[in-house]
Amino acid sequence: MTMLMGAMWPQLGSLIGSVMFAYAIFQQYFPYELRRPIQKYTQKLFGFLYPYIQISFDEYSGGNNDWRRKRSEVYAAIQSYLSTKSSTEAKRLKAQDVKDNNSLVLAMDDNEEVTDEFQGIKLWWTLTKSAPRQPSFSIYPQSDEKSHYKLTFHRRHRDIITGSYLDHVRKQGKAIAVSNRQRKLFINNPAQNWHYYKATKWSHVVFEHPATFETLAMEPKKKEEIVNDLIKFSKGKKYYAKVGKPWKRGYLLYGPPGTGKSTMIAAISNFMNYDVYDLELTAVKNNTELRKLLIETPNKAIIVIEDIDCSLDLTGQRKKKDKDEEDKEEKDPVSKMRDGEETKKSEVTLSGLLNFIDGIWSACGGERIIVFTTNYVDKLDPALIRRGRMDKHIELSYCCYEAFKVLARNYLDLESHELFGSIERLLGETNMTPADVAENLMPKSDEESDESCLKKLIEALEAAKEEARVKAEEEAKIRAEEELKLKAEKEAKPKAEEEAKLKVEKEEKEKDESAKDEVKCTHCNGTSTKQGAKENGVIH
C-alpha cells in the first residue's frame, strides 16, 4: 500500500503540471472569440461537479478606472468582523489600526484564510489581491492591486448564507468597528476645495477629549435626565419608524459663557461613541452646499453648530431692514476690500437651515444628533428652536453646590471638607461659572494644598459677591437718577404747556387791541392807527 501511494504522487504531480501547461497554452494562443465560449461551458461543467459557492466582496465600489470610487462599507464591515477571528486563528496578521495609542487592531494578512461557523454551517473567508489586467493611463494615481474578500460555502446552504448570515456579518462588523475605532472631530472644507483629487467635504482630526458625564459639573438630576434621553434615543430606531419621524434628535445648549456647553458635547460624543461634525456655517456659500454636507455626514454622528446666534445673520431675516441700514450696507469697493468683505458672503438662509434640521433632507440618514449652542437664546428665531427641531432645551447655568462637589472631586480628590459649608453659602449668594470655579480649584504648583485651593475659591466668591453688590448699587443709583429725571420731565411738562398757553393768549389779546385802534383815512382811503396818523401829520 505504501509503495502504491508513493507511485501515485509523482503521477498526480505530473497530471497537475500537464493541466497547467495546457491551460497556459490555451490562454496564450487561443483567440479570445474561441476562449470565451469554451470558458463559459467549462465553468458550467465545473459548477455541476464542484459543490461549493464563492462570493467576492471588493474593497472599492464603482468602476476600476473611476478615481472617485469609495471604499465599500460592506468590505469594511467584513474586515472588522473577521478581525476578532483572525487574531486567534490566522497565522499571518497585519496591524490595521491604532486605538488610543496603546493597542493594535489586528487583521488577516493577504492570501490568508480563516474559518467561521454559523448555525452549524462551516464557511471559509480568504483575503486576496489582484493586479489590473491592463495598465490604465490617468492623471490620477491608482493602486496597482485591488483587495477583496472571498467567501466559500456549500451550495446547499445558499439561502441561509445569502440571507441571515451576511446580514449577521454586516451588523456585527459595524458594531465591532464602532467599538474599535477612534472618534474623530470633523470640520467642513470650503466648497472650492471639493473637486480636487481625493478631496472630501469634511476634514478630520482624532478626537480625544476626556470629558464624561461623570466629570461633568452639573446637577445630578439634570445629568441623569440627559443620559436617559440619550440611551432612549440610541435604542429608538423602531420607535422613530413607528411614529413616522427621522431617527434624529436636536439639543439646544444655552447659558452664559463658561458653563460647559462644549464640554457637554464632548461628553455626549464619548458616551454615545459618535463622531463630531463641527459645521462652520460661514464657510457654506448657499443652501445647496449645506444639503450636500448633510448627505456626506454618516450615521452615528453629532452635527454641531456652535454660537448659532453669531454664525450667520439668521435672527433678523424675517424683519424688514430700515433704509438707513440698507444704505450702511452699500459700501464702495475700496471700503469692502479694506474691511475684508471682497469675498462673497454666505447665502445660507433661515429656510435652508430649517430644512437642513427638520426638512425632507434631514431624513437622508439616521441616528444623528444635532446640537446648537448659544449664549443668548432670546436672539434666536422661535422657528429655529421649536420642539421637533431642537427637541430638548438644556440650560447650563452658573455653578451650584452639587456641581462644585463634582469639581472638587475631579481637581482635588475631595469628597468633603470643613470649608464646604462656606462655599455652599457663597454659591447660593453669588453667580460664578463652573469654568471659574474649576480655575480656582486647580493647584498651580505641587506645594499648593487642597485647603489653600478651597480658600482661594472662597476669596474669589467673596470678591465676586462684593463686585455684584457694587454693580447692583450702581445700577440702582442709575435707575433712581433716571426715575428722578423722568419725574422732573413729567412735572415740567404741564408747566411748560401752561406757559405756552398763556403766551398764545397774550399774543391774541395784543392782536385784538391793535385791530380796535385802526381808523379809516379819508385822504388816502386807507387804514392806519391813530398814533400813526398823528405822527404822519394826516388830518382825518
Side-chain angles (χ1 to χ4, degrees):
M1 187 65 179
T2 305
M3 295 178 60
L4 180 62
M5 291 295 295
M8 286 179 61
W9 284 116
Q11 292 178 3
L12 181 60
S14 177
L15 178 61
I16 294 174
S18 300
V19 171
M20 294 179 64
F21 177 77
Y23 183 74
I25 295 298
F26 173 77
Q27 290 283 81
Q28 184 72 23
Y29 295 104
F30 268 68
Y32 178 75
E33 291 76 9
L34 293 178
R35 281 190 285 119
R36 186 176 180 183
I38 293 174
Q39 289 177 337
K40 177 180 178 181
Y41 290 106
T42 302
Q43 289 177 356
K44 285 187 175 181
L45 178 61
F46 186 74
F48 285 111
L49 301 176
Y50 188 68
Y52 293 95
I53 295 175
Q54 292 183 340
I55 303 177
S56 295
F57 301 89
D58 293 333
E59 182 177 7
Y60 293 96
S61 58
N64 294 332
N65 296 326
D66 187 3
W67 60 273
R68 294 169 297 182
R69 58 187 181 164
K70 295 182 179 179
R71 197 167 190 262
S72 171
E73 293 184 4
V74 176
Y75 181 93
I78 294 172
Q79 187 178 53
S80 300
Y81 175 79
L82 295 177
S83 63
T84 57
K85 299 183 179 298
S86 58
S87 60
T88 57
E89 298 181 12
K91 296 181 180 179
R92 292 183 296 115
L93 301 169
K94 59 182 177 182
Q96 194 67 31
D97 197 5
V98 179
K99 182 184 178 182
D100 300 332
N101 297 323
N102 55 19
S103 61
L104 296 176
V105 177
L106 302 177
M108 56 193 296
D109 203 354
D110 301 336
N111 301 315
E112 184 69 11
E113 182 181 88
V114 295
T115 59
D116 191 19
E117 187 173 336
F118 181 75
Q119 297 181 5
I121 302 171
K122 194 172 183 180
L123 312 99
W124 296 267
W125 285 99
T126 308
L127 176 61
T128 60
K129 282 189 175 182
S130 59
R133 295 182 178 179
Q134 57 184 6
S136 60
F137 299 94
S138 173
I139 61 175
Y140 302 105
Q142 299 185 25
S143 176
D144 293 334
E145 294 180 326
K146 299 175 178 61
S147 300
H148 54 268
Y149 283 102
K150 185 178 292 184
L151 172 63
T152 305
F153 57 92
H154 200 282
R155 60 188 175 191
R156 66 171 171 264
H157 306 304
R158 183 187 192 111
D159 293 338
I160 297 177
I161 300 304
T162 56
S164 55
Y165 175 71
L166 292 180
D167 188 58
H168 165 76
V169 170
R170 182 179 59 83
K171 290 181 179 178
Q172 290 294 321
K174 286 186 176 181
I176 294 171
V178 169
S179 62
N180 287 338
R181 69 180 174 86
Q182 283 185 316
R183 279 176 297 280
K184 297 176 182 178
L185 175 62
F186 290 81
I187 185 68
N188 52 301
N189 295 322
Q192 59 266 26
N193 298 337
W194 289 1
H195 307 292
Y196 296 128
Y197 171 60
K198 288 188 177 180
T200 60
K201 295 178 176 61
W202 296 93
S203 298
H204 70 270
V205 294
V206 175
F207 188 54
E208 297 179 331
H209 201 293
T212 63
F213 278 102
E214 287 74 18
T215 61
L216 195 62
M218 63 184 307
E219 297 177 7
K221 290 184 178 180
K222 183 181 291 187
K223 189 188 304 185
E224 183 181 1
E225 180 184 345
I226 296 169
V227 170
N228 292 336
D229 188 80
L230 291 170
I231 294 173
K232 181 70 174 178
F233 170 76
S234 65
K235 300 177 179 179
K237 183 177 182 180
K238 293 182 180 179
Y239 176 78
Y240 278 84
K242 184 185 74 171
V243 300
K245 290 182 61 177
W247 192 13
K248 65 177 184 62
R249 190 133 177 93
Y251 285 83
L252 174 66
L253 309 182
Y254 65 96
T259 52
K261 294 183 285 294
S262 299
T263 307
M264 170 70 76
I265 295 171
I268 294 175
S269 172
N270 290 329
F271 181 77
M272 301 292 286
N273 207 4
Y274 287 2
D275 290 332
V276 178
Y277 286 76
D278 185 11
L279 179 59
E280 179 56 55
L281 283 179
T282 56
V284 184
K285 294 301 181 184
N286 50 52
N287 296 334
T288 301
E289 291 184 7
L290 189 62
R291 288 192 290 267
K292 290 180 179 179
L293 287 169
L294 179 64
I295 294 172
E296 290 294 324
T297 307
N299 299 342
K300 295 184 181 295
I302 303 174
I303 302 174
V304 179
I305 303 179
E306 292 200 86
D307 298 323
I308 182 66
D309 54 304
C310 303
S311 297
L312 288 176
D313 185 18
L314 300 173
T315 57
Q317 288 188 3
R318 295 176 184 245
K319 300 178 182 178
K320 186 176 180 180
K321 293 183 178 180
D322 297 334
K323 185 176 180 181
D324 295 340
E325 293 180 358
E326 293 178 355
D327 295 340
K328 187 177 180 180
E329 289 181 356
E330 294 178 357
K331 298 180 180 180
D332 58 279
V334 177
S335 300
K336 289 185 177 182
M337 292 182 67
R338 183 178 63 248
D339 297 341
E341 298 179 1
E342 67 277 7
T343 57
K344 186 179 179 181
K345 291 185 178 180
S346 175
E347 297 178 358
V348 175
T349 63
L350 178 61
S351 174
L353 186 59
L354 296 180
N355 288 327
F356 173 84
I357 301 168
D358 195 34
I360 296 176
W361 289 94
S362 66
C364 299
E367 201 170 358
R368 293 194 186 112
I369 295 176
I370 301 175
V371 180
F372 286 171
T373 70
T374 180
N375 297 332
Y376 308 100
V377 67
D378 296 335
K379 291 185 178 181
L380 300 180
D381 194 296
L384 189 64
I385 59 176
R386 70 162 175 81
R387 308 294 177 173
R389 288 184 176 131
M390 292 293 104
D391 304 284
K392 192 169 185 62
H393 295 189
I394 302 173
E395 181 181 7
L396 299 175
S397 188
Y398 295 103
C399 188
C400 62
Y401 180 64
E402 295 296 331
F404 157 75
K405 290 196 294 185
V406 175
L407 293 173
R409 184 169 60 251
N410 293 342
Y411 287 87
L412 302 176
D413 294 326
L414 287 178
E415 294 292 342
S416 63
H417 194 276
E418 59 183 8
L419 295 177
F420 276 20
S422 300
I423 294 174
E424 181 180 8
R425 176 180 57 80
L426 289 170
L427 285 174
E429 297 173 351
T430 187
N431 294 329
M432 180 173 285
T433 64
D436 291 333
V437 173
E439 180 61 27
N440 284 286
L441 289 178
M442 181 181 291
K444 303 303 186 294
S445 65
D446 295 337
E447 290 76 18
E448 192 170 5
S449 64
D450 299 341
E451 185 173 349
S452 63
C453 292
L454 293 176
K455 289 181 178 179
K456 183 171 60 176
L457 174 60
I458 291 175
E459 292 175 0
L461 286 169
E462 290 176 345
K465 180 181 177 181
E466 180 64 19
E467 183 180 352
R469 185 189 65 79
V470 173
K471 185 178 180 181
E473 290 178 354
E474 291 178 353
E475 291 177 352
K477 184 178 179 181
I478 293 173
R479 284 197 302 269
E481 291 177 353
E482 291 178 351
E483 289 176 358
L484 289 175
K485 185 178 180 181
L486 290 173
K487 184 178 180 180
E489 291 177 353
K490 187 176 181 180
E491 293 176 352
K493 186 176 180 181
K495 185 176 180 181
E497 291 177 351
E498 184 67 22
E499 291 178 353
K501 184 178 179 181
L502 293 174
K503 184 178 180 180
V504 171
E505 291 177 353
K506 183 178 179 182
E507 290 177 352
E508 291 178 351
K509 184 177 181 181
E510 290 178 352
K511 186 176 180 181
D512 292 342
E513 292 177 354
S514 177
K516 290 179 180 179
D517 290 340
E518 291 179 351
V519 295
K520 186 74 175 179
C521 180
T522 57
H523 178 74
C524 60
N525 197 25
T527 59
S528 65
T529 62
K530 294 179 180 179
Q531 182 66 24
K534 187 180 294 183
E535 290 177 355
N536 293 329
V538 178
I539 299 173
H540 296 277

